[in-house]
Amino acid sequence: MNRRAPLLPLAVGFLLGAVLSLAGWRAPPGALLALPLAASQPLAPAAFLVAGWLSADLARAPPPPGPATEALSGQVVNVPAPLGDRLRFTLRTEDGRLVEVLAPSLEWPLAAGDRIRLQARLRTPPGPRNPGAADPRERLAAVGVAQQAEALLPPVRLGPPSPLAWLERGRERFAEAAAALPAREAALVRAIGTGDRAALDQPTTESFARSGLAHVLAVSGLHLVVVAAGLEWLLRAALLRVEPLAARLDARRAAAALAFPVVVAYTLATGAGFPVVRAALASAVLFGATLLDREGRSSNTLGLATLAVLGVEPGALLDPSLQLSLASVAGLVALAGPLRAALPVARPPPGAWRARLVEPVLAGLCATVAASLATAPILALHFRRLPALGILANLVGVPIGTGLTALTALAAALAAAWPPLALPVLWACWPLATALLAVSDAAAAPSFAVLGVASPGPLLAGVACALALSLARLRGAWRWGAAAGFVACLALPGPVRAAAARQRGTLEVIFASVGQGDAALLRLPDGAAILVDGGGTFSGGPDPGARDLVPLLRDLGVTRLAAVVVSHPHPDHVLGLPAVAAAFPIEQVVLGGGPPSEAVAAALARLPAPRRLEPGQALERAGVRLESVGGSEPGLEENDASLVLRVTYGRTALLFPGDVEEAGEAAAVAGGRPLRAELVKVPHHGSRRSSTAPFTAAVRPAFAVASVGAGNRYGFPHAEAVARWREAGAAWRQTDGGALRFLSDGETLREVPAEDALRPLALWRERRGAGGAR
């Protein structure tokens, strides 16, 4: 490659241009005039910046039409991802729209290139649930998808299966063959071998996330490099051993030419995720350099792969897996060599025993540290945690995972031909899979295995990545300053937000969006946090505690909970709490309602021993009083036995009545204790039998907030309940569109933007006496 034309600055320019567009900046009309700057080498990065900006603008989907049921026909444009007994894929319809589809599987597997027809319910993708949460609508719009569709029946093919369906059938055969192994090892082998994660259980996924080995579990650039490099080495060795071929062919070029088609097939067979595509493009560059007898450069290879991926799909930049892939490779290119040179151990001469035994360990350690530094800001941005033992786990686990990757790739190829052929190789995979699981579990087990951090936000995460990658080029005080800035970007966002909330000196309540369940966070004037209910689901599915509450609490800078109040022991109020208890110390638990079911009792057992608040009893802290005003009267059962909690601060009050309905509301009114409140959490999500006229008249709130899930099967909130609260003078709010946030200074209550909870300057402006009204 031409050393006078480095590609990495061009790729960085294109990447920054895409970032500008994805951040909401639109390219000016005259931006095209900057493209001729590419003819000048010093100005070429500016031209590529404009090109990235324009490409991301053009790729964005237009605003979608409203929800509907529609017959869709078109072509599958990506590799379908299995989700249990269903598939998720992107369909390009006959009129050119891109739609993300969730549909039942077919008897003969669906593949990219298939033309199909299906009847589906269309909907607009949801926005972010809570402040700082991922935005599915923006991510899909960036890649041109404006709507999602759910098909109740399997799609119908409009022609013969795509040739790529044979690859999908190969994945199914590999899953059949892997069933010969124990369930956990089989799921791991399927995930590493073909990217099929359908059989992975939640504990295994969590173990790999906590240990820092998640990149080994999911098919990524590492796996493709192992397959590509291993295959090229095997082919070259085989060609050199066949004398007639060795005399006629250049073994290196022939091996590269033969390996490349296999790399393409592997990329498609494992799902063609962005990291694998990036690695496949890099492999193509290296194989091409071998065929053309040219020297390859790591920076040029990374730059070309980045340009190719983002040139085709600029919105892929919002995909965390691509961000991690690019950051890790950039870390290897920029830092691995300097880190090895900085070690006080000289490189041994080739052929020495230290070159075979010690040097690979040192090189692996430096590579792991380099990749870990570069990817830490991305992990903090999306996952709010850093694996404390990740470097050690990778040092031990990556060699095992490398061997397992090679064997599972071979087993998958054999199973595609005939599943029994793969059995001997799968038996060889068994001890490696068991060892890898043991390493991950050991690294994930300690309580200190994960460092919980607040998301730094995209800007600070980008700054932290840039500082990490610059460490090798800086010297002296500049290097120490960059290292301090890197640590500050990751460590300070949460404490700064928490300090701003303490200085504000007001009572804050955030109604988190947790689907069809209840969860509200109280932040007291002294900064202490109290959680009222923790969400959960009756039928399983994603844990709202891990998905919604833990990230929100970390982003807010919460480090412990002064109390957790459980209105009553039902799954939609409790099952999210174990994840919260695992992440944060809880000083005390208050429990209302009757006896719990077996599943709920198991969840409550992972929390501190609860206490009861009888009517008239209260907790007090920082001028805030949490008083029981109902829920323990004789004869009340199930929902009606919910704790009715009144939170007062100065002259303002909030009411949390759990899931009480007619009997529970009547008992609270008859109890004679004050129910008047400026804000009420609507009882039982707004069911018909709740929110009775006497109760709404006794509360007379300014705001009524219903915790409901979007499109929930119960039809909550019911129109009758909504009407009764509006008749009582309340402004109606509900959480299916995202979190809601309110502030009280003790005199007035006001609604404030939920997203401002993560903006320290906005928190400072909200301080006591800064204004606002009921």
Side-chain angles (χ1 to χ4, degrees):
M1 294 182 183
N2 186 355
R3 290 183 179 274
R4 293 178 298 175
L7 293 175
L8 192 56
L10 307 183
V12 170
F14 194 95
L15 185 149
L16 290 176
V19 167
L20 288 173
S21 174
L22 296 174
W25 295 71
R26 292 293 171 262
L32 285 170
L33 298 176
L35 294 181
L37 296 177
S40 167
Q41 184 172 329
L43 300 177
F48 275 77
L49 183 147
V50 171
W53 200 345
L54 291 171
S55 297
D57 277 0
L58 293 172
R60 184 179 299 273
T69 299
E70 184 178 334
L72 300 175
S73 59
Q75 188 173 50
V76 179
V77 298
N78 63 352
V79 178
L83 297 173
D85 60 349
R86 297 190 292 176
L87 297 172
R88 184 174 60 207
F89 56 90
T90 302
L91 182 74
R92 185 177 296 279
T93 64
E94 301 291 356
D95 57 3
R97 289 179 294 155
L98 289 176
V99 179
E100 185 182 72
V101 178
L102 189 65
S105 302
L106 294 176
E107 182 176 353
W108 186 258
L110 202 64
D114 277 331
R115 293 191 66 254
I116 60 171
R117 182 177 64 246
L118 52 87
Q119 189 80 13
R121 288 196 297 263
L122 296 175
R123 66 182 179 94
T124 300
R129 288 177 175 269
N130 297 294
D135 188 344
R137 183 183 305 155
E138 175 62 21
R139 178 184 63 81
L140 289 172
V143 296
V145 176
Q147 287 181 296
Q148 293 176 309
E150 182 178 5
L152 300 180
L153 298 175
V156 176
R157 275 195 173 88
L158 299 180
S162 162
L164 297 179
W166 289 98
L167 291 176
E168 298 302 313
R169 180 58 181 147
R171 295 173 79 180
E172 292 183 353
R173 288 180 171 177
F174 181 57
E176 296 168 7
L181 301 180
R184 201 169 179 225
E185 281 81 355
L188 180 64
V189 163
R190 287 172 59 180
I192 292 178
T194 62
D196 178 5
R197 300 169 62 94
L200 285 172
D201 58 19
Q202 184 58 34
T204 299
T205 303
E206 179 67 10
S207 170
F208 276 79
R210 287 177 59 86
S211 67
L213 290 171
H215 65 102
V216 178
L217 179 63
V219 174
S220 62
L222 169 68
H223 301 73
L224 187 134
V225 168
V226 169
V227 171
L231 181 62
E232 191 272 342
W233 181 82
L234 287 173
L235 289 171
R236 179 157 39 91
L239 290 171
L240 288 173
R241 288 182 175 274
V242 181
E243 293 186 5
L245 292 177
R248 292 173 175 270
L249 298 174
D250 182 331
R252 289 175 62 253
R253 293 184 177 181
L258 292 172
F260 180 66
V262 178
V263 167
V264 173
Y266 180 82
T267 301
L268 294 171
T270 54
F274 288 124
V276 184
V277 171
R278 193 269 314 152
L281 290 167
S283 299
V285 171
L286 294 175
F287 288 150
T290 299
L291 291 171
L292 299 174
D293 199 21
R294 302 290 296 273
E295 180 185 1
R297 295 180 64 191
S298 298
S299 58
N300 269 354
T301 301
L302 174 60
L304 184 58
T306 302
L307 282 172
V309 172
L310 296 183
V312 173
E313 194 71 272
L317 192 57
L318 294 180
D319 190 301
S321 61
L322 180 64
Q323 295 173 12
L324 288 168
S325 179
L326 295 178
S328 64
V329 177
L332 294 174
V333 171
L335 299 176
L339 284 173
R340 177 62 187 93
L343 292 179
V345 180
R347 292 182 185 272
W353 68 270
R354 288 177 56 234
R356 296 177 180 175
L357 298 180
V358 178
E359 187 60 26
V361 174
L362 294 178
L365 176 63
C366 293
T368 300
V369 171
S372 298
L373 285 172
T375 56
I378 311 299
L379 293 173
L381 173 65
H382 295 290
F383 306 110
R384 280 83 169 177
R385 58 186 180 183
L386 301 175
L389 301 178
I391 292 176
L392 291 176
N394 275 271
L395 199 60
V396 178
V398 166
I400 300 173
T402 299
L404 189 57
T405 296
L407 287 175
T408 54
L410 175 60
L414 294 172
W418 188 41
L421 286 177
L423 290 179
V425 182
L426 286 170
W427 290 332
C429 292
W430 187 350
L432 291 177
T434 301
L436 185 58
L437 287 167
V439 170
S440 179
D441 291 344
S447 59
F448 58 83
V450 168
L451 301 176
V453 295
S455 172
L459 178 60
L460 278 185
V463 170
C465 282
L467 290 173
L469 296 175
S470 70
L471 291 175
R473 294 181 174 270
L474 300 175
R475 296 291 182 269
W478 287 102
R479 176 180 287 178
W480 286 108
F486 172 80
V487 172
C489 287
L490 299 184
L492 292 184
V496 167
R497 293 167 189 154
R502 283 194 301 272
Q503 292 298 317
R504 180 182 55 196
T506 59
L507 172 65
E508 175 185 34
V509 58
I510 299 176
F511 290 91
S513 180
V514 292
Q516 186 58 35
D518 276 18
L521 177 70
L522 300 172
R523 284 213 288 184
L524 308 188
D526 65 350
I530 295 175
L531 187 63
V532 181
D533 290 325
T537 60
F538 285 92
S539 57
D543 178 358
R547 180 193 62 192
D548 303 316
L549 295 180
V550 172
L552 176 61
L553 292 170
R554 284 181 173 156
D555 282 353
L556 293 172
V558 173
T559 57
R560 65 188 302 110
L561 290 168
V564 168
V565 178
V566 179
S567 63
H568 65 301
H570 277 188
D572 56 330
H573 295 250
V574 174
L575 294 188
L577 291 175
V580 174
F584 303 96
I586 298 173
E587 295 178 13
Q588 61 178 318
V589 174
V590 175
L591 177 63
S597 65
E598 183 177 345
V600 172
L604 289 172
R606 297 166 65 180
L607 278 62
R611 58 172 290 192
R612 296 274 179 172
L613 275 187
E614 299 300 329
Q617 294 181 336
L619 305 175
E620 293 194 46
R621 177 164 178 167
V624 178
R625 178 179 174 86
L626 290 80
E627 180 183 4
S628 171
V629 294
S632 296
E633 285 77 0
L636 296 178
E637 297 180 356
E638 296 290 337
N639 289 332
D640 286 312
S642 297
L643 172 68
V644 180
L645 188 72
R646 188 170 186 257
V647 180
T648 56
Y649 177 53
R651 299 171 59 185
T652 60
L654 319 171
L655 192 67
F656 295 88
D659 278 355
V660 294
E661 294 188 301
E662 291 172 332
E665 291 177 0
V669 172
R673 295 179 181 84
L675 298 176
R676 177 80 177 88
E678 278 66 36
L679 182 150
V680 64
K681 197 286 298 184
V682 172
H684 200 205
H685 318 285
S687 69
R688 287 190 186 90
R689 296 182 60 189
S690 70
S691 306
T692 57
F695 186 74
T696 59
V699 180
R700 289 183 294 115
F703 296 98
V705 177
S707 293
V708 292
N712 64 85
R713 61 177 178 169
Y714 309 102
F716 293 155
H718 290 142
E720 301 95 313
V722 177
R724 286 192 287 268
W725 285 113
R726 285 180 169 156
E727 288 170 4
W732 181 265
R733 302 288 187 268
Q734 53 193 65
T735 61
D736 52 350
L740 298 164
R741 182 167 163 263
F742 300 84
L743 287 180
S744 168
D745 60 3
E747 297 293 330
T748 60
L749 179 81
R750 58 193 170 115
E751 185 176 11
V752 291
E755 58 273 13
D756 281 355
L758 303 185
R759 297 170 181 166
L761 291 179
L763 294 176
W764 177 254
R765 289 194 295 269
E766 292 170 353
R767 64 192 184 279
R768 183 194 294 270
R774 173 180 168 175

